[in-house]
Amino acid sequence: MTVSFTFYADAGLTIPATQVQASQATDGASAAVDRVVYYGSNASLKTLVANSNPYVDDIVITPVDSVPASGVQATHVKLATSQAGLAGATAGAALNLGPTILSGKENARPVWVRVDTPALSAAVYTDITLTSNALREENS
Amino acid sequence: MADPYINDVKALFHFDTVNPTFDNAGHAVVETGTVQTASVSGQFGDAVMDCANGAYVSITHADMVIPDNEAFTLEARVSVPTGLTVGSTTTWWIAGNDALAIGVTMALGDPDWYFTIRRDILIDLISPAISARDVLTHIAISRLTGSGNKLYACVAGALLALYESSGSPGSVMYFGNLPSSAFPGKVEEIRFTQNVARYSSPYTPPSAAFDDPVPTAPGAPTATLPLSVTVAAPVTGSSALPLSVTVAAPVTGSSALALRVSVLPAAYLSGIESVCMGDGQAAVWREIVTVGGVDMTAQLIGDVLVDAGEGQARISEFTLRPPDGTQLELAGWTGLPVTIDVADYSSGSPLYAMRLFSGVIDTPSLDKTSSTISLRCTDDLQGRCEAMSTAALFALIGGYESTAVFDKAAVGWDYAQDRLSTVPASLDISPEGEMRVTQWQSKVTPDLTLDASVVGDNSLRPQIAGRAQIVNEVLIDFGYRFPRVKAEGWPISWVYVDPMTFAQFILDENWFLQRQQIPAAISAAGGRIESITYDPLPNYIVPVGAGYFSPSSADLDLCQGFAAVVSFDYAQTTTETHHIAVRNQESIDRIGLRQTQISGALTGVYPDITATETGIRLYKDKSSGIPPADSAPVVAEKTSSADTTLTTETDRAAADAAMAALIAIAKAKIWASHRNNRISAAVPLIPAIDLDKTVAINADGIAARGKVVRVVHRMSSSNGSATTEFDIALCSVAGYGITHDEDPTAAPAGTSAGLSNLTGSVNITYNSGNTEDHQITIAFPGVEEIERANANPIISTTIAAPLVEDLFTVTI
């Protein structure tokens, strides 16, 4: 059994997100693109905690680059829990969602993603993955 | 094994440091020398009495005198030192004519135990030689009663001899190194047992210290009560309840979401170029369709359609033809995520992919004849709104809220529509799947400019809004009904006789007014006295005709007049009628008045204004101890009013919020009706054209710039056709560049509590004549007309509704 918490395209947690799509210009001059997905669970009475030290360690989302130093890199991505927070976010840094997340749409956490790439060759890059740390799901 | 004769033990000396001696009958025990010292082989406890130091004990045993024919046992453990070489020693001795002694003698060369029992004759018994020195040996004398009064001398479990003895020894027993005999050995465990002959046959010497008896108070009266103790086998057993514990591995894992970044030339992003527009040659493009994350492009047949409009769900339609033999679970396809992209395919692989649709399968349809599956997909705008909280929707849309105007129970889609009705904007979901609100106002700098080189020949289709579609004035009727409390403060200053007329008043035989008549008259008129002072009669002699008026104490109940402030409290229900005309004057000037109406009403919720009015009166009359929740202050010469405390959903702020919401709705209605001018165009598929874009068109004599309100992308692989059809909305009435006034979206000021002047007068009549009834009558005016008129104020306001003109000219 896997954890029921996952990314959704909407705040109501009706459409699971399969990817975050953004378009950028090859010359690097296009404006940064902001996207938002929601991390939560529709399961009943569940609590998500970090598996390393439950209720103490934080749940974090990290932009992981499977092909470092080429294409889109983790430092081209910022994460924040609000769109306003993107401006002050550190490029490539993990997003801290706190030690617990309860299930239910009202408890879903927005994950804002800002993509701003420099000049790159035209291609579709999928080497960045927003990845959580090891998590544990418990009954609330 | 417990000592069966424990209760017959009368004296017991362990000579241990913690438990040295015991006497069970309160006898005098005298210790001489140090009677506890260690140690000797085989001792019990931690010490013995070392007689070599001259130690001994004596016990006066008057009640233990051994009489004739009485059984007893006297015993101890005794050692003989190695160094004993001469003489006889006695270690035990009971003095008297029938003395009894036990000791050690060297008479035969070796040390031997000897026993002396004396009565009429001396009987000495010498035991076998003592070979073991410094070893404690149990020795005892035990006498039986009955025939012959047998007395046994015992050493180390053996009965050495038997004598007849019926004598009674003396009353003092000595143990240890008696001064007369100087026994040098060691002694412990001396025990005297009365009435019992413990040793009448060979026995096993004791291997542990003797048991201590339970002390009893000497001479205490005793009683016996049989105690029956039934010792039964215990009822034993056990109970068991199975405890089922399931230990499961914790649910663990992690989440991951791919970030897909499509990097392509800026010209494609802006729409200047498109993968579907050839650059001097035919464009080679390809749609990319994924279903449930699986690329299904290879199974596409026919057209792929994407259709989006303001405030509507984006839909897509396409058909798949799976390979023969493919086994599908079509029922599970509903709800699967779907993405549609279009990409350059000139190199044989997708390049410059741009997203056209993100959604889910709404309806899969199977055509068995053609073995095709038609999929109708949606971005589920309505469903996503339904799933969102009102807080999230409000954060996304904004706008105005009012429980007086909108259904406060509305949630989801209905709530979103309520909010959208108050803003000049539309809600949709982007091609990437993100909910967004796009403002109706077009951008000054268009996102994309299209000319005749792109716009298809004769594809431009202008649609001018009919007059009937236009609304340039919205009349809002809003009624707000609420209670207020008021108080009139009537000042009275009245004198019916003064110093100039005083004498004549008396000569005319008039009656002075009793002070107590005045409050009664005010109360009879319905008023309440806030303050009052009386003009007293003169306190000096006043000439009256030929006589005099002399003041007296009775005059204190009379007066020449009074000054008072009298209040009247009442409640008034006010109904404000707001006529708010939200209008765009330029539009009216150009098109003529195109009017519509909306209305609303709100009633302040208050417990019972009539009861409040009564409560104020009762409280002021001191007929009630309950202060009124609301009351107006009394101000002389004024009518004061005060607002009452209403519920938060019906108070003034709620009324203002309701009117603001209605004004916002009116403004949005006017703007929406003025953007019904449309230009439709068809171009090669340009993914950048979407509902958030402002597109400028300059072709076929038409110059226009407006926001996209509908877009349809159609891709047909069969004929290589890829087109985008779109509509832009154009707000055009007074001409591009004309600015329109706008007033704030705020409720007009309503009536307010405060003060107004009292204009009437108080009429006082006093019948003072000798033959009259001497009554005073005070009449107050009724509620002021101006206050009565305040019950139904009409407030008219005009609010300027804004428009932002879009470029829209046609050259014939």
Side-chain angles (χ1 to χ4, degrees):
Chain A
M1 184 180 292
T2 59
V3 295
S4 63
F5 285 77
T6 188
F7 293 97
Y8 287 86
D10 61 317
L13 309 186
T14 63
I15 300 178
T18 55
Q19 61 183 209
V20 177
Q21 160 69 29
S23 296
Q24 289 284 277
T26 51
D27 59 6
S30 58
V33 172
D34 293 350
R35 298 283 184 246
V36 62
V37 291
Y38 298 86
Y39 191 62
S41 167
N42 282 316
S44 176
L45 299 176
K46 297 293 183 183
T47 300
L48 187 71
V49 296
N51 194 42
S52 54
N53 192 359
Y55 299 97
V56 176
D57 289 353
D58 289 325
I59 298 164
V60 294
I61 305 294
T62 306
V64 177
D65 189 353
S66 60
V67 188
S70 72
V72 177
Q73 299 175 31
T75 53
H76 302 154
V77 177
K78 287 183 175 181
L79 302 178
T81 54
S82 67
Q83 190 168 22
L86 287 171
T90 301
L95 177 63
N96 188 333
L97 297 180
T100 60
I101 302 176
L102 301 179
S103 59
K105 66 181 181 182
E106 65 276 11
N107 300 310
R109 304 294 175 84
V111 177
W112 282 86
V113 184
R114 173 166 292 176
V115 180
D116 192 4
T117 61
L120 288 172
S121 300
V124 174
Y125 297 92
T126 57
D127 48 328
I128 300 292
T129 303
L130 307 183
T131 306
S132 74
N133 52 340
L135 303 171
R136 175 183 297 186
E137 183 174 296
E138 299 185 347
N139 294 325
S140 298
Chain B
M1 179 178 176
D3 183 1
Y5 309 116
I6 192 70
N7 293 327
D8 296 310
V9 175
K10 300 304 178 184
L12 174 60
F13 303 155
H14 296 294
F15 299 113
D16 292 334
T17 56
V18 296
N19 190 19
T21 61
F22 170 80
D23 177 78
N24 199 26
H27 306 116
V29 177
V30 177
E31 297 178 353
T32 301
T34 303
V35 299
Q36 296 94 30
T37 57
S39 70
V40 65
S41 175
Q43 71 184 29
F44 301 152
D46 62 352
V48 296
M49 178 169 66
D50 188 355
C51 302
N53 295 324
Y56 69 95
V57 297
S58 63
I59 179 168
T60 302
H61 60 99
D63 62 333
M64 289 197 294
V65 171
I66 304 169
D68 291 345
N69 306 321
E70 184 179 75
F72 72 90
T73 299
L74 179 62
E75 58 191 313
R77 301 181 79 224
V78 183
S79 69
V80 176
T82 303
L84 181 64
T85 57
V86 295
S88 299
T89 62
T90 300
T91 184
W92 299 356
W93 180 44
I94 302 176
N97 291 331
D98 294 326
L100 185 152
I102 301 173
V104 178
T105 180
M106 296 292 291
L108 300 179
D110 293 326
D112 299 292
W113 297 110
Y114 77 87
F115 296 79
T116 298
I117 299 99
R118 179 183 294 166
R119 188 180 181 191
D120 297 327
I121 60 172
L122 178 65
I123 300 174
D124 288 330
L125 170 65
I126 298 176
S127 70
I130 302 171
S131 58
R133 304 295 182 92
D134 293 319
V135 174
L136 291 167
T137 303
H138 180 253
I139 59 177
I141 295 172
S142 184
R143 187 171 77 174
L144 296 169
T145 57
S147 176
N149 293 321
K150 302 296 187 297
L151 184 149
Y152 292 98
C154 312
V155 176
L159 305 182
L160 299 183
L162 178 63
Y163 302 92
E164 289 189 0
S165 174
S166 59
S168 299
S171 60
V172 179
M173 290 189 289
Y174 299 92
F175 307 106
N177 193 346
L178 306 182
S180 59
S181 59
F183 174 71
K186 296 182 174 64
V187 181
E188 71 168 4
E189 300 301 313
I190 298 173
R191 182 169 69 178
F192 181 81
T193 309
Q194 199 170 35
N195 301 319
V196 174
R198 288 179 178 268
Y199 310 111
S200 57
S201 61
Y203 63 97
T204 299
S207 57
F210 296 139
D211 293 340
D212 287 326
V214 177
T216 57
T222 60
T224 58
L225 178 65
L227 174 63
S228 175
V229 178
T230 301
V231 179
V235 178
T236 60
S238 62
S239 300
L241 178 65
L243 174 62
S244 176
V245 179
T246 301
V247 179
V251 178
T252 60
S254 60
S255 302
L257 181 64
L259 176 62
R260 182 181 187 274
V261 181
S262 181
V263 178
L264 62 168
Y268 287 83
L269 285 176
S270 65
I272 296 173
E273 294 183 18
S274 166
V275 297
C276 300
M277 291 190 291
D279 184 11
Q281 56 186 348
V284 180
W285 56 267
R286 185 172 186 182
E287 66 275 64
I288 303 170
V289 175
T290 67
V291 176
V294 178
D295 190 341
M296 307 290 278
T297 307
Q299 298 181 20
L300 281 172
I301 62 170
D303 294 353
V304 175
L305 176 75
V306 174
D307 188 346
E310 282 185 343
Q312 301 171 4
R314 184 180 301 249
I315 62 168
S316 74
E317 294 175 348
F318 55 89
T319 302
L320 299 177
R321 172 63 170 85
D324 291 340
T326 304
Q327 189 174 29
L328 302 173
E329 295 181 359
L330 265 187
W333 281 39
T334 301
L336 282 180
V338 172
T339 63
I340 299 175
D341 293 77
V342 62
D344 181 289
Y345 211 70
S346 58
S347 64
S349 60
L351 189 64
Y352 310 152
M354 293 187 72
R355 182 63 47 91
L356 299 177
F357 178 83
S358 298
V360 294
I361 294 176
D362 183 60
T363 311
S365 301
L366 174 65
D367 185 339
K368 279 290 293 176
T369 304
S370 60
S371 298
T372 59
I373 304 166
S374 297
L375 297 175
R376 180 178 174 85
C377 308
T378 175
D379 63 12
D380 198 26
L381 174 63
Q382 185 166 345
R384 288 174 64 168
C385 284
E386 290 290 356
M388 290 176 69
S389 66
T390 54
L393 286 169
F394 186 78
L396 175 67
I397 301 170
Y400 292 81
E401 289 187 304
S402 168
T403 56
V405 176
F406 304 107
D407 179 5
K408 65 180 178 182
V411 295
W413 179 251
D414 291 339
Y415 179 84
Q417 295 308 303
D418 288 344
R419 298 289 74 73
L420 287 165
S421 70
T422 64
V423 294
S426 296
L427 178 69
D428 78 301
I429 295 176
S430 74
E432 290 78 17
E434 299 218 359
M435 294 188 73
R436 64 185 178 185
V437 173
T438 58
Q439 301 300 315
W440 291 346
Q441 181 177 344
S442 60
K443 300 167 188 169
V444 175
T445 302
D447 296 297
L448 182 62
T449 299
L450 303 175
D451 58 20
S453 65
V454 178
V455 177
D457 294 341
N458 301 317
S459 72
L460 292 180
R461 296 188 304 278
Q463 301 170 20
I464 310 301
R467 185 170 182 270
Q469 293 178 279
I470 293 175
V471 173
N472 48 33
E473 181 176 86
V474 178
L475 294 179
I476 300 171
D477 280 335
F478 184 80
Y480 181 42
R481 184 176 174 84
F482 60 96
R484 278 199 176 115
V485 288
K486 297 191 174 185
E488 295 177 339
W490 291 101
I492 304 173
S493 180
W494 176 74
V495 175
Y496 66 93
V497 59
D498 58 29
M500 298 299 293
T501 60
F502 186 80
Q504 189 60 46
F505 187 83
I506 294 175
L507 290 173
D508 292 342
E509 298 182 344
N510 288 308
W511 288 43
F512 288 107
L513 179 62
Q514 297 277 340
R515 292 186 181 191
Q516 64 186 15
Q517 290 181 264
I518 297 170
I522 291 172
S523 179
R528 277 150 299 282
I529 297 171
E530 299 294 329
S531 63
I532 188 168
T533 58
Y534 298 96
D535 290 337
L537 267 58
N539 57 358
Y540 49 86
I541 295 174
V542 179
V544 177
Y548 296 92
F549 165 82
S550 296
S552 71
S553 59
D555 298 343
L556 295 177
D557 293 333
L558 307 175
C559 67
Q560 300 180 85
F562 69 96
V565 174
V566 176
S567 67
F568 288 83
D569 294 280
Y570 62 98
Q572 184 179 55
T573 298
T574 301
T575 303
E576 289 179 2
T577 300
H578 290 267
H579 295 310
I580 306 170
V582 181
R583 56 180 8 211
N584 183 276
Q585 190 60 49
E586 287 78 10
S587 175
I588 295 172
D589 294 343
R590 298 277 181 144
I591 302 171
L593 184 62
R594 295 291 305 156
Q595 196 177 64
T596 189
Q597 297 183 7
I598 56 178
S599 63
L602 180 65
T603 298
V605 174
Y606 195 71
D608 183 350
I609 190 60
T610 303
T612 298
E613 185 179 75
T614 303
I616 294 171
R617 290 176 179 170
L618 292 174
Y619 186 75
K620 287 191 172 181
D621 290 344
K622 298 184 179 178
S623 298
S624 168
I626 304 172
D630 298 291
S631 62
V634 176
V635 179
E637 301 182 46
K638 303 288 184 182
T639 295
S640 69
S641 60
D643 289 326
T644 53
T645 306
L646 306 175
T647 62
T648 56
E649 289 190 345
T650 64
D651 61 9
R652 172 64 67 177
D656 288 348
M659 286 186 276
L662 291 170
I663 292 168
I665 292 171
K667 286 182 174 180
K669 277 181 176 291
I670 291 172
W671 194 329
S673 74
H674 283 80
R675 65 192 295 263
N676 280 327
N677 301 303
R678 296 281 192 270
I679 286 192
S680 300
V683 296
L685 194 149
I686 300 176
I689 297 178
D690 204 62
L691 301 175
D692 60 336
K693 297 297 192 296
T694 293
V695 174
I697 296 174
N698 190 3
D700 289 347
I702 294 176
R705 188 199 63 206
K707 178 185 176 299
V708 176
V709 294
R710 185 166 184 264
V711 61
V712 178
H713 301 298
R714 191 186 306 273
M715 293 164 283
S716 178
S717 297
S718 59
N719 58 17
S721 166
T723 61
T724 296
E725 299 171 13
F726 65 96
D727 297 346
I728 58 174
L730 299 166
C731 178
S732 180
V733 56
Y736 179 65
I738 300 297
T739 58
H740 299 261
D741 294 334
E742 179 182 11
D743 289 327
T745 305
T751 60
S752 59
L755 299 173
S756 62
N757 293 326
L758 290 171
T759 58
S761 58
V762 180
N763 186 22
I764 303 175
T765 303
Y766 173 51
N767 304 321
S768 60
N770 185 32
T771 60
E772 294 180 305
D773 59 5
H774 313 132
Q775 294 299 308
I776 181 172
T777 303
I778 305 175
F780 293 87
V783 173
E784 296 280 296
E785 195 58 36
I786 187 173
E787 295 299 330
R788 292 170 58 84
N790 284 340
N792 294 290
I794 296 175
I795 302 169
S796 297
T797 310
T798 299
I799 302 283
L803 294 174
V804 176
E805 299 270 352
D806 291 318
L807 173 64
F808 183 27
T809 62
V810 177
T811 302
I812 304 300

